[in-house]
Amino acid sequence: MGSSTAVSHRTQAQRFAAFKDALRERSLKSTSQRDDIARVFFANDQHISVEELYREVKRVNPRVGYATVYRTVRLLRECGLAAERHFHDGEARFENVEEEHHHDHLICERCGRIVEFANDAIERLQEQIAARLGFVITRHKMELYGLCAECRSGRTPHAAAKRESRVSRT
Amino acid sequence: MGSSTAVSHRTQAQRFAAFKDALRERSLKSTSQRDDIARVFFANDQHISVEELYREVKRVNPRVGYATVYRTVRLLRECGLAAERHFHDGEARFENVEEEHHHDHLICERCGRIVEFANDAIERLQEQIAARLGFVITRHKMELYGLCAECRSGRTPHAAAKRESRVSRT
DNA sequence: ACTGGATTGAAAGTGATTCTCATTTTCGTG
DNA sequence: CACGAAAATGAGAATCACTTTCAATCCAGT
Ligand SMILES: [Mn+2]
Ligand SMILES: [Mn+2]
Ligand SMILES: [Zn+2]
Ligand SMILES: [Zn+2]
């Protein structure tokens, strides 16, 4: 098994403070909706869809509207606090961003499990290829789809998608 | 510059014949719509959207409907003759498939140019990472987004997306 | 040619996301 | 604290890519 480095991240409170700062910097207003949505988002360590986030937020504050959740995740993205991912289930998913902690994804097509990994050798090769073809890369997406060990072993007919949250450095 | 290997592909006629064979194998019917759509698709060497394909086909045969283009492109995919790509402009794009000629993409975010490349070292690393995490990969997607040389040089304000069709092996 | 099942196209339906706009809220200023 | 302009909200309409529906049409095996 790869060495699972439990990287030390900012706390939820720190992220929330960063969000409030970002609002102030941009002269945007603090609202209870934004606060509630951001708090729920920062408390989540998975790849959450807007629908899921909406439902979670509703439990804390049933007054928030769908549109506001969409607007707030976009805002979080623009503030560099959220990353938008598009796996293959049709809906966008968002995850907390730790700068300097880029990672890619391995996705089980059967159970939906998502494993995160980071590999410097690949990142370097990507830069080389781009340079050779005259490009400067601003971002990239790499997703590996397949079957996890558990699913291949025949067990867990339709195991609920349990997501790993540790990034394996390889 | 990477060695641009102009890989010898099947001709349009060969692809068309393969399509007809695939129809027969599956006991599907040959129709003028399917033929026209397939012919236009095989004549195209870019990453074409359904909308674009629809417009091209309309010029050959104005009687084809939108739904049939969608259905036929799905059929081509199922026959292994087309690959579906999702870059970041919201619509699916399809390209001709040459088996044993997997490649990935480098996309200019300014002019839309798409450069294809294949890199065995990366492919091997992907397998290694997956194996280490217990996965068996069935497919993957790797897209590098950035700026091409021309766009960085300031020229070509909004150059029409001219696509390269040679896969650079690196 | 006959005929049953496959195919087609126009239009309606979907699902995710964005927009509209009337109403409410925030926050700097007096 | 009270104002008021500007920003934010939310319900629902709109959009966009894509799929489904279904009556009419076409294909292919006999
Ligand atoms: Mn992730
Ligand atoms: Mn390609
Ligand atoms: Zn699995
Ligand atoms: Zn460019």
Side-chain angles (χ1 to χ4, degrees):
Chain A
M1 280 85 264
S3 58
S4 268
T5 58
V7 208
S8 84
H9 297 307
R10 286 174 290 180
T11 64
Q12 294 177 206
Q14 286 172 322
R15 282 192 261 241
F16 188 72
F19 177 58
K20 299 293 258 186
D21 288 349
L23 289 180
R24 223 166 290 122
E25 276 168 35
R26 287 149 208 254
S27 322
L28 297 177
K29 294 179 176 171
S30 266
T31 66
S32 66
Q33 289 88 331
R34 283 179 173 164
D35 286 1
D36 291 337
I37 295 166
R39 250 189 289 265
V40 171
F41 176 72
F42 293 139
N44 182 287
D45 63 346
Q46 318 231 303
H47 303 84
I48 194 171
S49 70
V50 177
E51 171 73 32
E52 288 161 356
L53 182 54
Y54 173 71
R55 279 204 300 273
E56 295 281 312
V57 171
K58 273 275 177 182
R59 306 200 321 200
V60 170
N61 177 353
R63 314 176 51 74
V64 301
Y66 221 91
T68 301
V69 178
Y70 268 100
R71 291 190 274 239
T72 304
V73 291
R74 182 202 292 152
L75 180 56
L76 287 163
R77 169 160 52 66
E78 287 164 4
C79 294
L81 292 163
E84 185 171 351
R85 308 286 188 180
H86 290 91
F87 303 138
H88 278 169
D89 55 355
E91 56 193 340
R93 293 179 173 277
F94 293 82
E95 66 177 321
N96 281 271
V97 158
E98 285 301 321
E99 51 254 55
E100 306 301 319
H101 283 289
H102 164 79
H103 64 260
D104 293 295
H105 300 88
L106 194 43
I107 299 129
C108 178
E109 294 192 289
R110 180 133 173 282
C111 70
R113 185 192 315 253
I114 299 175
V115 176
E116 306 181 325
F117 67 89
N119 184 282
D120 290 338
I122 288 187
E123 305 281 324
R124 278 194 300 272
L125 282 167
Q126 288 174 338
E127 290 293 344
Q128 281 176 27
I129 291 163
R132 205 173 296 153
L133 296 169
F135 276 67
V136 171
I137 298 180
T138 54
R139 66 202 170 83
H140 73 258
K141 108 180 294 187
M142 175 165 59
E143 290 152 19
L144 312 181
Y145 294 87
L147 289 175
C148 72
E150 201 171 339
C151 282
R152 265 177 301 124
S153 78
R155 278 177 267 119
T156 61
H158 273 275
K162 183 185 62 181
R163 272 84 172 231
E164 317 282 318
S165 60
R166 303 286 153 264
V167 178
S168 297
R169 312 211 144 258
T170 60
Chain B
M1 287 66 286
S3 58
S4 267
T5 57
V7 208
S8 83
H9 296 307
R10 284 173 292 180
T11 64
Q12 295 176 207
Q14 286 172 322
R15 282 192 261 240
F16 189 73
F19 176 57
K20 299 293 258 187
D21 288 348
L23 288 180
R24 222 165 293 121
E25 275 169 34
R26 288 150 207 256
S27 326
L28 297 177
K29 295 180 176 172
S30 267
T31 66
S32 65
Q33 290 90 328
R34 283 179 173 165
D35 286 1
D36 292 335
I37 295 165
R39 250 190 289 266
V40 171
F41 176 72
F42 293 138
N44 182 288
D45 62 348
Q46 318 231 302
H47 303 82
I48 195 171
S49 70
V50 176
E51 170 73 34
E52 288 162 357
L53 182 56
Y54 173 70
R55 279 204 302 272
E56 295 279 312
V57 172
K58 273 273 175 183
R59 305 201 322 203
V60 171
N61 177 355
R63 315 175 50 73
V64 300
Y66 221 89
T68 302
V69 178
Y70 268 99
R71 290 191 273 238
T72 303
V73 110
R74 180 201 294 151
L75 180 56
L76 287 163
R77 170 160 53 67
E78 287 164 3
C79 295
L81 293 163
E84 184 172 351
R85 308 286 187 178
H86 290 90
F87 302 138
H88 277 169
D89 57 354
E91 54 192 341
R93 292 179 172 278
F94 292 82
E95 65 178 321
N96 280 273
V97 159
E98 285 301 323
E99 51 254 56
E100 306 300 319
H101 284 288
H102 165 79
H103 64 260
D104 294 295
H105 300 89
L106 196 41
I107 300 131
C108 178
E109 294 192 291
R110 181 137 172 282
C111 70
R113 184 191 316 251
I114 299 173
V115 176
E116 305 180 325
F117 67 89
N119 184 282
D120 289 339
I122 289 186
E123 306 279 325
R124 277 194 300 271
L125 283 167
Q126 288 174 338
E127 291 293 343
Q128 280 176 28
I129 292 164
R132 205 172 298 151
L133 295 168
F135 276 67
V136 171
I137 298 180
T138 54
R139 66 203 170 84
H140 72 259
K141 108 181 293 189
M142 174 165 58
E143 290 150 20
L144 312 181
Y145 294 87
L147 289 175
C148 71
E150 201 171 338
C151 281
R152 267 177 301 123
S153 78
R155 279 178 265 119
T156 60
H158 274 274
K162 183 185 63 181
R163 272 82 174 237
E164 318 280 320
S165 59
R166 303 285 151 266
V167 176
S168 297
R169 315 216 139 252
T170 60

